Amino acid sequence: MKEGNKMEDKKYYISTAIAYTSGKPHIGNTYEIVLADAIARYKRLQGYDVYLQTGTDEHGEKIELKAKDAGVEPQQFVDDVAGTIKDIWDIMNTSYDKFVRTTDPHHKKVVQHIFKYMYDKGDIYKSEYKGLYCTPCESFWTESQLVDGKCPDCGRDVEVKSEEAYFFKLSKYQDRLMEYIDTHPEFIQPESRKNEMVNNFLKPGLQDLCVSRTSFKWGVPVDFDDRHVVYVWVDALSNYITSLGFDVNGNHGELYKKYWPADVHVIGKDILRFHTIYWPIMLMALGQPLPKQVFGHPWLLVGGDKISKSKGNAIYADDLVKYFGVDAVRYFCLNEMPFAQDGTITWELMIERINSDLANVLGNLVNRTISMNNKYFGGEIQCPKVKEDVDQELVQLALDTPKRVEKKMDELRVGDAIGEIFTLLKRCNKYIDETTPWTLAKEGNTERLGTVLYNLLESIRIAAIQLGAYLPETSEKILNALNTNHRDFASCEEFGMLEVGNKVVEKPEILFARIDAKEMLDKINADAEAAKKAKEAAEVKVEKKEEITFDDFMKVELKVGDVLSSEKHPKADKLLVSQIDCGNGDVRQIVSGIAQHYTPEEMKGKKVVVVTNLKPAKLRGVESQGMILAGDTADKLSLVTADLPNGTVIH
Ligand code: ME8
């Protein structure tokens, strides 16, 4: 291979679907970025120049309605949810290079260019759409697609709807796409899903796709006909190229020139049709190369049921991490999910896997090997001098494991790749049983003992390097504990790279502690119960009050006041008695229920907002001449403060 080609081959662009900003993503959505992250990290360890892109899909009627329900502007709503999504991706230690948002001005501008380009080319035309519409899914369906007369995706009612719309001539490109799929057998993964796409959608013939809407506003406007917004799929799918600097006129940015076409789009099985039919056809219309592969991964189910907020069975990554730590959650998702069939998650299963795989097999092996090396050799890594036949199998497996992992990763079988590493770890445990180092120590067979421990530590080093893509923190902890500088894939090609004479860490950290299942499940249930109560309490509080007039509101006199001093109420733990200067010589005493959130010292000097015309009242025997404004949740209270002079009227 020529050097030039080699360099080019060494780049790798991988993307996830962009998540809807309709709410907090559950563990199923989160699985996808963890999966893509594991592949991306693996490729980086192989020496590829990787670009991992993820992000959020922020337009559409559903989001517009959600924002309305929440009483905020759509932009505010999507900003908040996109923030939550990014936080969860970060909690999961995912190494994305770009987080794209479809409300980014640049993305919107390029989507408009793409739409116009396809319109000018005659691939998009204006017509009338009439069909059965499911609002939550934002999808039109034909009669034959309905299941029991309801939306085939969500099972809800559909309604007859008609609107003027732009259409995209999918049918024009049908044959070309068919040929592409035929000549690129690796394009759709897994294979079974390819057949589904070809037989269910392509062979029956493609209908032109409706690509604009007039029934809502929250979308990218069609710039030459602004009654229309671009329908979400054209907007959403374009993210894979807008972010790289794609330009319809061919003046592409550097990232586009370097990374397009994508090596793999990692997406869920439900949106495979959009990615293997609509998206390639859009790219054909734009005259651009198609992605090399689309991987439609299966879904994570909760005990066998679809994860759903309304069913109340949703599990969230941040909760899991709170109890088990990041790498345990990454391990569970990656290892538990089959390549093509759906996987299952429950709290019980999670605990089971942590105990059996992470604590017993991995944690225990690392801990006892390092401890033995400390006990018998003061931590110093020994030179392996006395080799025996029993070593051969372990050494060979340690050398083969990286190749086996690579093979699985080439097929995107991430769970199986992890399985290969665990096969090596289990073999190490068996080797301890076979060689019984404690007996060698008792017999004073020091050189053989040193060899056995070397073989174990070296096998652990190779396993830890291989784990780097899946459990990055754990991998690093182990390599630090081994005190080795040989941490790259190349150093796994030889058995014996662990530095003789170095000292392993004195007290190895417990990587994964065994969990008492009952105790943990009780705690999880108690926390869930408490959270539910707090939520209910908060909901009661925000119950809507009766409408008032402006005059009603103006009856309340609100002024800025300076807290001069504050002390505990003599008879009530929850109350503070404060002296507040409300300006123009108006110093008054106010009793408030804030003692559990603010100390008297913290109160001093605060500029609070006071209701000054409230009828005075006695609280547990102490007179209160007004009220301080504050907001509170189940466990937090915050005073309303204003950086204004005393006596300033608030309105
Ligand atoms: O579909 N297990 O967004 P989304 C595994 N905005 N993966 C799951 C899952 C589960 N239980 N549930 C959902 C969208 N997913 C669009 C994508 S791309 C240009 C636009 C996956 O927030 C789902 O299959 O509904 C999808 O790949 C991803 O989570 C985001 O889903």
Side-chain angles (χ1 to χ4, degrees):
M1 195 187 282
K2 275 199 222 108
E3 199 52 33
N5 279 341
K6 206 166 162 191
M7 285 310 290
E8 201 169 286
D9 281 351
K10 278 287 182 189
K11 68 95 200 150
Y12 194 82
Y13 175 25
I14 172 169
S15 66
T16 68
I18 45 172
Y20 282 128
T21 44
S22 45
K24 182 175 171 176
H26 53 60
I27 188 65
N29 309 121
T30 312
Y31 159 71
E32 184 170 297
I33 179 71
V34 174
L35 174 69
D37 177 66
I39 301 170
R41 283 179 186 269
Y42 187 81
K43 285 283 167 191
R44 282 192 203 108
L45 287 166
Q46 280 187 319
Y48 282 80
D49 170 350
V50 174
Y51 191 77
L52 168 59
Q53 175 163 302
T54 185
T56 40
D57 187 356
E58 307 191 353
H59 291 126
E61 190 172 15
K62 193 169 159 186
I63 288 168
E64 189 177 80
L65 291 175
K66 284 239 169 188
K68 200 167 164 217
D69 279 353
V72 294
E73 289 299 314
Q75 188 62 53
Q76 172 73 51
F77 186 82
V78 298
D79 284 350
D80 288 350
V81 182
T84 304
I85 294 175
K86 205 160 184 263
D87 286 347
I88 292 185
W89 280 200
D90 291 339
I91 288 173
M92 292 311 295
N93 194 11
T94 59
S95 59
Y96 53 85
D97 298 285
K98 169 83 181 176
F99 191 99
V100 65
R101 299 182 53 186
T102 55
T103 52
D104 288 343
H106 174 76
H107 169 84
K108 292 200 285 191
K109 196 176 78 193
V110 182
V111 167
Q112 288 179 326
H113 294 168
I114 289 174
F115 199 92
K116 177 82 170 27
Y117 180 90
M118 298 202 289
Y119 178 76
D120 289 344
K121 204 177 159 201
D123 285 342
I124 283 181
Y125 61 94
K126 196 165 172 175
S127 181
E128 171 99 352
Y129 198 95
K130 190 159 182 236
L132 299 158
Y133 188 70
C134 173
T135 309
C137 297
E138 296 172 24
S139 296
F140 275 103
W141 302 103
T142 60
E143 195 76 51
S144 64
Q145 286 171 316
L146 301 184
V147 175
D148 299 331
K150 313 246 179 199
C151 170
D153 271 359
C154 72
R156 277 178 267 222
D157 287 336
V158 291
E159 53 182 331
V160 178
K161 228 175 166 181
S162 138
E163 61 182 52
E164 178 190 279
Y166 285 91
F167 285 81
F168 180 33
K169 281 186 190 163
L170 290 182
S171 46
K172 176 174 160 190
Y173 296 92
Q174 159 144 355
D175 292 344
R176 269 178 66 189
L177 178 60
M178 199 73 149
E179 193 197 325
Y180 184 83
I181 293 175
D182 277 347
T183 51
H184 295 78
E186 71 299 331
F187 176 54
I188 304 177
Q189 289 299 322
E191 178 94 24
S192 52
R193 302 221 185 275
K194 167 175 142 183
N195 303 335
E196 196 182 307
M197 292 301 117
V198 172
N199 296 334
N200 298 1
F201 298 106
L202 273 174
K203 283 205 177 137
L206 293 175
Q207 289 178 6
D208 289 350
L209 179 71
C210 179
V211 288
S212 79
R213 293 283 189 271
T214 53
S215 54
F216 63 92
K217 281 270 155 259
W218 184 240
V220 179
V222 173
D223 53 357
F224 55 90
D225 189 353
D226 62 11
R227 278 199 323 113
H228 290 256
V229 292
V230 176
Y231 175 51
V232 296
W233 279 102
V234 172
D235 170 10
L237 289 163
S238 304
N239 90 83
Y240 300 125
I241 55 174
T242 59
S243 60
L244 296 181
F246 165 76
D247 176 54
V248 282
N249 297 318
N251 299 319
H252 306 306
E254 288 310 311
L255 288 175
Y256 187 81
K257 286 190 229 160
K258 179 170 177 188
Y259 289 111
W260 193 258
D263 291 84
V264 60
H265 291 313
V266 176
I267 51 148
K269 59 178 186 176
D270 60 319
I271 53 174
L272 203 65
R273 176 165 52 114
F274 304 100
H275 284 79
T276 58
I277 297 177
Y278 304 163
W279 178 228
I281 289 183
M282 264 180 76
L283 288 164
M284 284 175 182
L286 292 170
Q288 299 303 311
L290 307 195
K292 293 180 197 160
Q293 201 164 51
V294 179
F295 176 30
H297 63 72
W299 270 21
L300 203 48
L301 308 175
V302 170
D305 288 334
K306 202 169 159 176
I307 305 179
S308 129
K309 211 179 216 173
S310 52
K311 270 196 218 152
N313 69 352
I315 296 180
Y316 297 99
D318 50 339
D319 288 334
L320 289 163
V321 168
K322 194 169 72 190
Y323 296 111
F324 309 116
V326 181
D327 275 3
V329 181
R330 287 177 64 105
Y331 174 78
F332 183 90
C333 292
L334 295 170
N335 182 61
E336 204 66 18
M337 195 71 134
F339 176 62
Q341 263 78 45
D342 289 341
T344 289
I345 184 168
T346 61
W347 294 95
E348 289 82 354
L349 258 183
M350 177 97 206
I351 296 171
E352 231 175 276
R353 292 292 182 274
I354 291 175
N355 283 343
S356 65
D357 301 359
L358 297 178
N360 271 7
V361 176
L362 172 62
N364 197 19
L365 170 70
V366 174
N367 194 284
R368 64 180 174 150
T369 307
I370 291 183
S371 300
M372 283 192 283
N373 208 60
N374 276 311
K375 184 169 169 193
Y376 302 133
F377 299 109
E380 193 174 316
I381 298 169
Q382 300 296 295
C383 180
K385 288 186 181 150
V386 185
K387 300 187 180 164
E388 290 186 7
D389 284 351
V390 65
D391 304 345
Q392 251 325 295
E393 203 183 303
L394 176 69
V395 172
Q396 198 51 51
L397 186 63
L399 284 170
D400 285 348
T401 298
K403 289 176 236 159
R404 294 190 189 193
V405 171
E406 184 175 16
K407 184 164 178 296
K408 299 296 181 199
M409 289 304 285
D410 284 347
E411 295 168 11
L412 301 174
R413 291 178 182 269
V414 176
D416 294 343
I418 297 180
E420 296 292 350
I421 304 170
F422 272 74
T423 301
L424 173 59
L425 296 169
K426 285 179 193 157
R427 186 65 191 82
C428 289
N429 278 322
K430 190 170 161 220
Y431 181 76
I432 297 182
D433 296 341
E434 288 167 348
T435 54
T436 57
W438 47 93
T439 317
L440 296 173
K442 222 186 257 168
E443 292 165 352
N445 198 348
T446 316
E447 288 202 338
R448 176 62 189 152
L449 177 62
T451 307
V452 164
L453 289 181
Y454 185 88
N455 288 342
L456 284 167
L457 291 169
E458 172 65 344
S459 302
I460 292 172
R461 182 188 70 86
I462 293 177
I465 292 171
Q466 295 299 316
L467 278 178
Y470 321 99
L471 314 182
E473 279 181 4
T474 306
S475 163
E476 200 183 335
K477 278 187 200 166
I478 300 174
L479 294 169
N480 288 346
L482 295 178
N483 190 14
T484 179
N485 283 323
H486 294 144
R487 297 173 177 221
D488 57 6
F489 272 11
S491 74
C492 297
E493 286 167 17
E494 213 177 298
F495 195 91
M497 296 294 283
L498 183 67
E499 299 93 327
V500 170
N502 273 9
K503 274 193 172 182
V504 296
V505 73
E506 212 176 308
K507 284 209 167 43
E509 178 184 342
I510 301 287
L511 296 174
F512 298 97
R514 263 195 81 80
I515 297 171
D516 179 321
K518 182 171 178 319
E519 211 173 87
M520 180 61 96
L521 290 170
D522 286 349
K523 181 172 164 41
I524 291 166
N525 287 335
D527 287 353
E529 199 52 39
K532 198 171 139 203
K533 282 209 179 111
K535 197 169 162 229
E536 279 164 7
E539 271 164 12
V540 171
K541 276 198 183 146
V542 297
E543 233 174 61
K544 271 202 169 159
K545 293 208 170 138
E546 189 189 322
E547 205 169 70
I548 59 168
T549 63
F550 179 72
D551 290 342
D552 288 337
F553 178 72
M554 290 309 285
K555 283 185 195 156
V556 183
E557 186 181 72
L558 297 168
K559 282 188 185 166
V560 177
D562 207 345
V563 180
L564 301 175
S565 67
S566 194
E567 59 186 16
K568 291 216 158 156
H569 190 290
K571 289 192 214 140
D573 289 347
K574 292 187 179 165
L575 301 180
L576 281 188
V577 182
S578 309
Q579 305 302 321
I580 301 181
D581 181 353
C582 294
N584 305 320
D586 173 9
V587 176
R588 50 177 76 212
Q589 171 169 296
I590 295 182
V591 181
S592 29
I594 56 175
Q596 282 165 328
H597 302 276
Y598 291 92
T599 61
E601 295 72 41
E602 282 169 344
M603 286 301 290
K604 193 160 185 241
K606 279 217 177 324
K607 290 217 173 247
V608 292
V609 178
V610 180
V611 182
T612 42
N613 62 340
L614 194 68
K615 204 168 169 184
K618 279 204 167 155
L619 295 180
R620 303 290 301 270
V622 178
E623 169 145 303
S624 179
Q625 301 152 334
M627 197 169 89
I628 306 176
L629 295 192
D632 62 346
T633 63
D635 55 358
K636 204 173 153 193
L637 180 141
S638 176
L639 292 172
V640 177
T641 56
D643 190 14
L644 292 164
N646 298 353
T648 309
V649 174
I650 304 282
H651 43 81

